[in-house]
Structures are given as C-alpha cells and as structure tokens.
Amino acid sequence: MLLTRKTTDFYLKDLETPLGQAINLTLAVLVLISSGIFVAETYNIPDSVRFQLSVADTAIAIIFLIEYLLRLWSAENKSKYIFSFYSIIDLMAILPLFLGIVDIRFIRLLRWFRILRLIRFIDRKYLFASISTEDGLIFARILFTLFAIVFVYSGLIYQVEHPVNPEKYATFLDAFYFSVVTMTTVGFGDVIPISKLGRLLTVLMIFTGIALIPWQVGDLIKQVVKTANQVQTVCSNCGLAFHDIDAVFCKSCGTKLPSRRVN
C-alpha cells in the first residue's frame, strides 16, 4: 500500500517519464479547456450548446476532484499538503462542483481561479523544450503572471458587474478590455465598474499587479546579472547550457561537465 501511494505521488508530480508527462499535460489541457468554457458561457450561445458545455465542465471538475483526492491520499504529510499553495488553488478549482448543493455567489466566482493551476507547470522548466535558460523561465513566469492576473480578475469583474451593468460588461471580452486598460494605467474611462464589489476588485487587481510584477522583474534582473558571470557549457545529461565559470559539475543534475578550453 505504501508503494502504491509513493507511485501515485510520483506520477502526479513527475514530468520526465512518458506517463508522468501524459498525466500532467492532460491536466494542463483540461485547465485550458475549462477556462475556455467559462469564457464561452459569457456569450449568447444556443441552449443546447450551453448544456453541452456545462456537462463538459462538470466532467472536468470531477476529474479535478479525483486528482485532488489522489494527491491528498498519496501525500506523506497531509496537513502540510492541505495548506500548501498548490493545494489551495486545486481546492478553489473543485469547489464550484458543489454549486448545485450550496449556491453561494462567492463559490461561483472561484471557478475563474482554475487558470492558476498552470503555475505548477511554469515551475517545471523541463516541460518547455524551447526554454533552455533560467532567464527564459523567469520571463515566462512574468508573462504568465500578467495573463493570470488579467484573466482571473476579468472573470471576477464580469461575474460581479454583468448582472448590474450588462450593457458595459456584456461578455468576458468587455471585462478583459477593462482589466487590460486598468493594468496598463491607460484608463480610458469608457468602461468602469459601478458596484462596490467591482470597484474593490479593481483596486485589488492594481495592488496585485504592483506587488507581483516588480518582484518577478527583480528576479529577472538578478538572473541577468548572474548569467553575466556564467559561460556556455552544455551538460551532456540534462542539456543545461550555462554554468558558473569555475563549475565542474552540473548544478541541475550533478553530471560532470566537459572540460573547457582556455584561449
């Protein structure tokens, strides 16, 4: 039984073996599909299509619920897992499944946080074959952070403002437009929230951007300075391209690096 738990935990975190990649990539695709369903539901679509999308979204939520229970069951320290960042994000992703039982407005808003589940894949550099440097990984995190902030807050603002201001916030795109011009401090003023909760969300969106983006840009600057003191020495095992000038072993996998010629 212990081996089964360890095996389950391994494949839910692994992105190197074919099975681990298949499981985690499937979960990532389901997150994107679920997010696309939420966006589509904000438009005027036929009832039959809306019903099909609802069924698909419920099926995806059930898969997320099973995944959460498997992660909880296989976790060595369950209390630590429950209060971890990724666990909280996963929990917010499955709470909307219980809307039919407890129809509370704030739970309905949590469905927009599913996109944040993709953060765990940004933390896995080897998932992105085209990103071979730490600089590229940090830059990808910055871009994803911007997208996640805009997407999540656009969904929340749409959910709050559409019932009271349907002319200005008719679809998700209207809320997305408002979030972009707000985040970029352009502020045309043609679309503004009129509810107190909508205005509060706008303030929180601005503060979130102010808090997260400079912090990640700072990481990028520090990494650029660090890279200036590195040389290109490709590891024969993991392919990491840059190492410290005096490095003998790969800092990622520990493999001995090829000797460098000194001109």
Side-chain angles (χ1 to χ4, degrees), residues 1 24 56 63 91 106 113 125 135 167 170 180 227 238 242 255 261:
M1 181 64 68
N24 285 279
I63 293 175
L91 188 60
F106 83 91
F113 284 88
K125 181 171 61 176
D135 298 351
E167 293 183 0
V180 170
T227 303
C238 69
F242 290 91
T255 302
R261 295 179 180 179

Side-chain angles (χ1 to χ4, degrees), residues 57-63 65 92-101 107 114:
D57 183 56
T58 301
I60 292 174
I62 292 174
I63 293 175
L65 173 61
M92 287 194 294
I94 62 176
L95 277 178
L97 181 63
F98 303 99
L99 283 177
I101 302 175
I107 295 181
R114 287 186 188 175

Side-chain angles (χ1 to χ4, degrees), residues 141-176:
R141 288 175 182 169
I142 293 174
L143 290 180
F144 179 78
T145 300
L146 280 171
F147 171 76
I149 291 174
V150 173
F151 183 89
V152 172
Y153 277 107
S154 297
L156 296 178
I157 290 174
Y158 169 81
Q159 206 94 48
V160 170
E161 287 293 315
H162 177 70
V164 297
N165 194 8
E167 293 183 0
K168 294 293 185 180
Y169 294 89
T171 66
F172 175 84
L173 182 60
D174 296 326
F176 187 81

Side-chain angles (χ1 to χ4, degrees), residues 216-251:
Q216 291 195 322
V217 171
D219 283 345
L220 179 59
I221 294 174
K222 287 189 292 185
Q223 185 60 36
V224 169
V225 173
K226 182 179 178 182
T227 303
N229 298 319
Q230 294 181 338
V231 294
Q232 185 171 6
T233 306
V234 180
C235 174
S236 59
N237 182 41
C238 69
L240 186 63
F242 290 91
H243 295 82
D244 294 336
I245 296 176
D246 58 348
V248 178
F249 299 94
C250 176
K251 64 181 180 181

Side-chain angles (χ1 to χ4, degrees), residues 172-188:
F172 175 84
L173 182 60
D174 296 326
F176 187 81
Y177 163 79
F178 166 76
S179 298
V180 170
V181 298
T182 301
M183 284 287 293
T184 56
T185 68
V186 175
F188 291 126

Side-chain angles (χ1 to χ4, degrees), residues 12 56 84-85 97 109 125 159 167 191 197 234:
L12 286 173
S84 66
F85 174 75
L97 181 63
L109 298 178
K125 181 171 61 176
Q159 206 94 48
E167 293 183 0
V191 179
L197 183 55
V234 180

